[in-house]
Amino acid sequence: MAVEGIVFYACSKINDGDVIVTYGYSSVVEATFLFAAGQQNKRFHVVVIDSFPRFEGRKLLEVLSKAGLPCTYLLISAAAYMMRGA
């Protein structure tokens, strides 16, 4: 139930046209994005920042891309550049 509460609250913070930057992978973040896009029909762009050695963000990128969410994948070294548009 805690995850559902977090997802519901986080979705209330997502608006159409938002650019959301996230780092790595989190099942709660994944559930939030999928719920906001699928159940609430919100349109937003996700920027997944990742880093060595685990590259866990690839998993989030794959799931979100398969769900039809527009995503950008960057390594941590490019994060400062991307933050200007978020």
Side-chain angles (χ1 to χ4, degrees):
M1 288 184 67
V3 171
E4 291 174 11
I6 293 168
V7 167
F8 184 75
Y9 179 75
C11 284
S12 73
K13 302 297 181 185
I14 299 174
N15 299 306
D16 286 335
D18 281 353
V19 176
I20 303 169
V21 178
T22 188
Y23 176 78
Y25 175 80
S26 164
S27 60
V28 176
V29 171
E30 176 187 308
T32 299
F33 293 157
L34 294 176
F35 186 80
Q39 302 297 318
Q40 297 182 337
N41 294 317
K42 293 184 179 181
R43 303 292 166 230
F44 54 95
H45 185 94
V46 178
V47 179
V48 179
I49 305 292
D50 210 358
S51 69
F52 177 82
R54 300 176 103 186
F55 296 104
E56 292 177 332
R58 290 180 184 174
K59 180 178 178 181
L60 182 62
L61 178 71
E62 183 178 335
V63 170
L64 297 180
S65 294
K66 284 183 180 179
L69 274 86
C71 299
T72 301
Y73 178 81
L74 299 171
L75 295 178
I76 192 77
S77 57
Y81 172 77
M82 191 61 198
M83 293 302 278
R84 288 184 243 153

